[in-house]
Amino acid sequence: MSFSERLQKDFTTITLALIPVAVVINIVVGQIVATLKLPIYVDSIGTILVGALCGPLPGAITGAISNILWAYITGQIQTAPFALTAFVIGLCAGFFASKGVFKNIAWTIAAGLATGVIAALVSAPILVYVNGGVTGTGTDAIVAYFQATGANLIQAATIQGFISDPIDKTISYLIVWLILRGMSKRLISQFPRSQNILTEESQVEGTS
Amino acid sequence: MSILRVEQLSFQYLQANRNALRAVTCEFEPGTVTAIVGANGAGKSTLCFALAGFIPHFFRGKLQGKVYVNGADTQQTPLAQLVTQVGMVFQNPFNQISGAKLTVSEEVAFGLENLGIARAEMETRVARTLQLFDLQHVAQQSPFALSGGQQQRLALASIFIMEPPVMILDEPTAQLDPHGTRQVMKTIQTLAAHGRTIVLVEHKLEWVARLAARVLVLDKGALVADGEPRAILSRANAWGLIETRYARAARAAMERGLIEKKELLPQTLEQAKDWFQIEG
Amino acid sequence: MNQSFFLDRASGWHALHPLTKLAVALAIAVTVFCVRWNYISVALFVFIILPIAVWAKIWREVLRTTFTVILPLAISLVLVQGFFYPGATDVIWQIGPFSLKREGLEFAFVTATRLMVIAGAGLLVVYATHPADLARALVQAGAPYSLAYIIVTAIQLLPEMQARADGILNAQQARGLETTGSLRVRIAAFVPLIAPLVYGALENVQERALALDARAFRAARPKTSWRELRDSQAQRVARVLLIIFSILVVLVSLQAALWQNSPLVLR
Ligand SMILES: Nc1ncnc2c1ncn2[C@@H]1O[C@H](COP(=O)(O)OP(=O)(O)OP(=O)(O)O)[C@@H](O)[C@H]1O
Ligand SMILES: [Mg+2]
């Protein structure tokens, strides 16, 4: 299947209806996590979900838009460049899902870790170039420690990312794995990449 | 000639192990109001989806038989073209708000934008439609700020404005309170008065008796009855439907021997007055 | 929480086409990243961002938000980079084992003021442009229509979902769910909070999609628009000039070393 055919197949109406809902899930779940003062972000559940159900590009767009909207509504304009990280997280989720990782919890964890590592690698240069290496939160102590012990800015930012991102993304992947388990087959089968999740899909005859 | 024709239609959803529709055959005449009734899971929504082209264009599965809209085979006609022939309104008013529009006027115009209707034409149609659906006083409000009944009238208006000759309404009042239900039912009467062909799925048989000229009964995917409302609704119990309060009262009277047993039960207030006065 | 930062005020800046405002913000952002002069940010903030903010009658909000958003970052920058900037040697203040160095402070100053300009320029757009107008403008400029649909719908669904989240939170707390206390307790509270929210939202997706298709959302023909954005020839020209300016700034800074005889600049 060619790339543009694949895109047309992924961007069905149900994909388009899901994306804004997933964007809102990202933001609201992120806020709930903040309310509960949990030591994680978990702000990409919707992104990973769309990647799994609809493909890499829909997932990536969900991530990027969530991030930009977040910057818009909170006034945290300087977080907008991290839309690139969110975009890549969506791509990763779509890619790993197409390899069937969500059919198996061990693979789900592995994919979460891998996505976390990739997210850290993408974030680090943005963090350094835009933010001067700091986030304005407690994790800056890690950056200070590694810079004090000889790391340069990009190294310190990457290490800081390696410490927080893989855990966060693994938890997010596990939550998505749980959500997918709880969804009815009937609902899952409406999405373009349902075969990412469902093990045996019943044979369908042509409809025309 | 009938405006909608269903021939030997069977459908099995992907992920389902039995048919949701079994060899359904029926026709609909232009300008009529037909109600579809049946127990939960009987296949009412599935039939609606087939009439509006969502089967096969939205839902995947195994389809046999044909649906013709104005003579055109729905399987051969793209959905965006079908929607100007057959409009469909769904249960949940909230889900039918596109979300992409900030005011009620804009929301009503959404379908016209998608069809590429020129601005001037859009303006006249929007003004006329808001008037008809009694939404002109909320035209500048957010669709999200409306009451459930208003939102459902907005959903009806948003489909009506695309001027499909046929409108399929799948339990449009299921999520509404009695007040909202009354509003929407009155609107449906207006639509019928405007000559639209209406297919209405409805659990509240009181409303079926008041609005419909014909009733279809679905049972486990099969069309088991088709005819005049009073005769059909008098046998409502046989298909596990909740009969009207008038029929229930009449049945109670018959069972207590107050009135001799009759086949035809009252289904509306008028019929009940008649039934009890003459017989009792 | 604020659903959107848009402040509907009558001003010349508000009345500009969203893309014009976006082009101004872009030009400011590009300049601040490309010009290698320590005080470029301060200059841009004082001589461009503030005057526009005053013109738009939003200077109080722009200042307040800029500083509350940037302050924690600025503090971190001074603490982390002021003391631990790699390769810095010029000590200006010694406390215990730690030393504050000039190069680090300079880096912290440049970065913090640059963030201040990014935030300020962004807020000029955010406070003066309804997100729906911005989305519509993007479509006008050739972005796919579905992008506008996604953005506007997400913005409108957000308060609905937040209300639902509050409802669920209250209901679960009434049933004895604890949302404060030890980390274990709070993690245990997380799943019962998000599950009904997420499933509730997912349940609706199919009907939302059907309702969109029922209104010819995916029709192949070109769409028309009910609302029109005000635009003018002058603004169109201004936008083109701002874009050209931004590109030039990037090119010039890329060739900064060859500035005097860069063929790209001379042509
Ligand atoms: N997307 C789907 N995938 C698989 N099976 C489905 C799907 N939608 C409906 N079904 C099944 O098809 C049958 C008919 O369902 P349908 O929704 O048409 O019934 P209904 O008469 O509208 O019921 P209700 O009164 O509950 O709305 C049911 O057995 C239902 O479980
Ligand atoms: Mg139904």
Side-chain angles (χ1 to χ4, degrees):
Chain A
M1 201 179 308
S2 83
F3 182 66
S4 78
E5 273 173 346
R6 186 72 256 186
L7 276 193
Q8 280 214 319
K9 276 229 151 69
D10 282 348
F11 281 96
T12 61
T13 312
I14 198 149
T15 300
L16 286 176
L18 176 64
I19 292 176
V21 170
V23 167
V24 175
I25 289 177
N26 277 342
I27 296 177
V28 174
V29 171
Q31 285 171 339
I32 291 178
V33 169
T35 312
L36 293 177
K37 301 201 176 60
L38 299 179
I40 41 175
Y41 301 110
V42 201
D43 55 0
S44 40
I45 304 247
T47 307
I48 299 166
L49 197 61
V50 175
L53 290 168
C54 308
L57 205 61
I61 287 173
T62 306
I65 291 183
S66 301
N67 211 292
I68 291 168
L69 213 58
W70 176 255
Y72 211 109
I73 60 179
T74 61
Q76 307 256 354
I77 308 294
Q78 81 287 353
T79 61
F82 292 96
L84 184 65
T85 314
F87 189 90
V88 172
I89 290 170
L91 283 184
C92 288
F95 172 77
F96 288 129
S98 73
K99 300 291 168 218
V101 299
F102 284 109
K103 291 174 183 170
N104 172 311
I105 188 164
W107 281 112
T108 300
I109 293 172
L113 289 171
T115 304
V117 169
I118 295 167
L121 290 174
V122 178
S123 293
I126 304 175
L127 195 63
V128 170
Y129 197 55
V130 178
N131 278 20
V134 304
T135 55
T137 63
T139 53
D140 290 343
I142 301 170
V143 174
Y145 172 78
F146 282 102
Q147 284 186 198
T149 53
N152 65 24
L153 260 61
I154 195 93
Q155 289 163 342
T158 310
I159 295 168
Q160 187 265 127
F162 281 165
I163 290 172
S164 62
D165 275 326
I167 298 173
D168 186 58
K169 297 305 169 283
T170 304
I171 292 172
S172 303
Y173 267 65
L174 282 173
I175 292 172
V176 170
W177 179 82
L178 263 177
I179 292 172
L180 291 169
R181 304 243 104 187
M183 276 172 79
S184 68
K185 273 189 178 181
R186 181 191 292 191
L187 184 56
I188 291 177
S189 70
Q190 299 297 324
F191 293 97
R193 299 279 183 123
S194 54
Q195 73 284 359
N196 285 352
I197 319 299
L198 302 173
T199 19
E200 14 62 281
E201 197 174 30
S202 32
Q203 202 57 44
V204 206
E205 284 173 24
T207 47
S208 51
Chain B
M1 200 193 88
S2 56
I3 191 159
L4 273 180
R5 206 164 82 240
V6 180
E7 280 178 8
Q8 289 294 318
L9 190 73
S10 296
F11 184 71
Q12 182 179 358
Y13 286 100
L14 192 72
Q15 300 299 332
N17 40 25
R18 55 192 183 83
N19 276 7
L21 289 178
R22 295 161 202 271
V24 172
T25 300
C26 55
E27 295 191 19
F28 299 85
E29 298 304 318
T32 57
V33 179
T34 308
I36 301 179
V37 300
N40 287 334
K44 305 179 296 293
S45 297
T46 309
L47 181 56
C48 291
F49 292 145
L51 292 175
F54 290 114
I55 292 174
H57 297 299
F58 188 98
F59 292 97
R60 290 179 296 163
K62 216 187 310 177
L63 177 69
Q64 279 155 9
K66 295 267 181 219
V67 176
Y68 296 98
V69 175
N70 261 331
D73 183 350
T74 55
Q75 289 173 51
Q76 313 296 334
T77 320
L79 200 51
Q81 198 173 321
L82 272 175
V83 296
T84 59
Q85 298 295 314
V86 190
M88 184 160 172
V89 176
F90 306 87
Q91 267 188 29
N92 188 334
F94 177 77
N95 287 341
Q96 295 175 81
I97 299 172
S98 72
K101 300 296 169 186
L102 304 181
T103 67
V104 168
S105 311
E106 273 186 278
E107 178 71 19
V108 172
F110 181 61
L112 300 183
E113 290 182 338
N114 292 334
L115 290 172
I117 307 284
R119 235 206 107 167
E121 165 82 10
M122 238 191 305
E123 268 173 29
T124 38
R125 281 213 223 171
V126 167
R128 193 171 356 112
T129 307
L130 289 176
Q131 194 82 34
L132 185 63
F133 288 80
D134 194 24
L135 291 167
Q136 68 278 23
H137 51 283
V138 291
Q140 293 315 312
Q141 286 184 24
S142 159
F144 291 94
L146 304 185
S147 72
Q150 287 174 321
Q151 284 181 343
Q152 194 61 302
R153 278 188 285 142
L154 173 58
L156 282 161
S158 305
I159 296 299
F160 177 89
I161 199 169
M162 298 164 76
E163 301 186 339
V166 184
M167 288 180 73
I168 315 272
L169 318 174
D170 187 4
E171 300 192 42
T173 65
Q175 315 256 329
L176 303 182
D177 58 12
H179 177 67
T181 302
R182 228 170 4 255
Q183 287 183 350
V184 168
M185 289 299 180
K186 259 179 63 189
T187 312
I188 295 173
Q189 279 172 320
T190 318
L191 295 182
H194 275 71
R196 299 291 167 103
T197 310
I198 292 182
V199 178
L200 171 69
V201 175
E202 185 53 64
H203 275 296
K204 295 168 213 129
L205 298 188
E206 269 91 359
W207 284 109
V208 171
R210 279 173 68 174
L211 291 175
R214 174 185 168 209
V215 177
L216 306 181
V217 184
L218 282 177
D219 190 22
K220 300 191 186 72
L223 184 61
V224 292
D226 176 351
E228 189 268 325
R230 188 164 180 187
I232 291 195
L233 297 185
S234 295
R235 293 157 58 205
N237 285 338
W239 301 295
L241 306 173
I242 304 164
E243 41 180 17
T244 62
R245 64 188 107 145
Y246 311 110
R248 204 158 42 239
R251 197 180 295 284
M254 291 193 312
E255 271 160 15
R256 295 202 178 113
L258 301 174
I259 293 169
E260 66 175 285
K261 289 211 171 356
K262 303 207 77 192
E263 280 288 301
L264 223 50
L265 305 181
Q267 306 296 343
T268 64
L269 184 57
E270 276 64 42
Q271 290 169 3
K273 278 183 188 158
D274 237 36
W275 202 86
F276 283 104
Q277 261 166 20
I278 295 169
E279 315 293 333
Chain C
M1 201 195 86
N2 250 319
Q3 101 160 258
S4 129
F5 261 124
F6 174 58
L7 300 168
D8 194 3
R9 299 198 177 141
S11 86
W13 172 254
H14 277 72
L16 290 178
H17 191 274
L19 292 181
T20 311
K21 290 178 260 187
L22 208 56
V24 171
L26 179 80
I28 297 175
V30 166
T31 309
V32 84
F33 269 106
C34 290
V35 175
R36 303 254 160 257
W37 175 49
N38 282 354
Y39 300 99
I40 181 69
S41 299
V42 178
L44 282 174
F45 199 87
V46 172
F47 295 112
I48 303 208
I49 292 176
L50 267 186
I52 294 178
V54 170
W55 178 33
K57 303 176 186 158
I58 53 175
W59 62 272
R60 273 194 203 84
E61 290 83 0
V62 169
L63 280 181
R64 193 187 315 125
T65 309
T66 302
F67 290 123
T68 50
V69 162
I70 300 310
L71 196 64
L73 285 163
I75 293 172
S76 269
L77 277 167
V78 170
L79 290 179
V80 175
Q81 305 303 3
F83 285 95
F84 307 108
Y85 192 63
T89 48
D90 190 356
V91 177
I92 42 182
W93 189 36
Q94 187 79 34
I95 34 167
F98 303 116
S99 49
L100 191 63
K101 302 177 197 81
R102 190 188 47 78
E103 295 94 327
L105 266 190
E106 208 172 279
F107 177 80
F109 173 80
V110 169
T111 309
T113 52
R114 186 196 286 154
L115 284 168
M116 189 177 84
V117 167
I118 301 294
L123 290 171
L124 285 181
V125 179
V126 166
Y127 277 133
T129 315
H130 194 290
D133 285 332
L134 187 58
R136 199 171 295 121
L138 291 174
V139 172
Q140 229 177 47
Y145 183 83
S146 34
L147 186 72
Y149 163 77
I150 292 169
I151 293 173
V152 180
T153 304
I155 286 170
Q156 298 213 86
L157 288 181
L158 183 60
E160 306 287 329
M161 190 103 111
Q162 280 167 332
R164 208 165 300 170
D166 285 343
I168 294 168
L169 188 71
N170 291 337
Q172 303 283 36
Q173 279 172 337
R175 278 198 240 147
L177 183 86
E178 285 185 54
T179 52
T180 52
S182 74
L183 187 60
R184 273 264 299 284
V185 169
R186 283 176 285 138
I187 290 176
F190 181 61
V191 174
L193 281 186
I194 68 156
L197 193 72
V198 172
Y199 286 119
L202 289 176
E203 292 281 292
N204 288 336
V205 167
Q206 177 179 303
E207 201 173 56
R208 298 190 63 81
L210 284 166
L212 286 175
D213 268 342
R215 291 158 80 187
F217 185 53
R218 308 306 293 279
R221 49 197 129 180
K223 295 175 196 290
T224 45
S225 178
W226 169 257
R227 260 222 231 175
E228 271 151 10
L229 293 166
R230 262 189 298 167
D231 202 356
S232 64
Q233 193 58 36
Q235 286 192 61
R236 274 188 282 269
V237 173
R239 288 202 291 270
V240 172
L241 291 179
L242 283 163
I243 303 280
I244 293 173
F245 169 80
S246 303
I247 295 172
L248 279 180
V249 170
V250 172
L251 292 179
V252 166
S253 81
L254 281 178
Q255 311 220 352
L258 305 168
W259 169 241
Q260 292 305 327
N261 41 16
S262 163
L264 273 166
V265 171
L266 291 180
R267 215 178 290 156

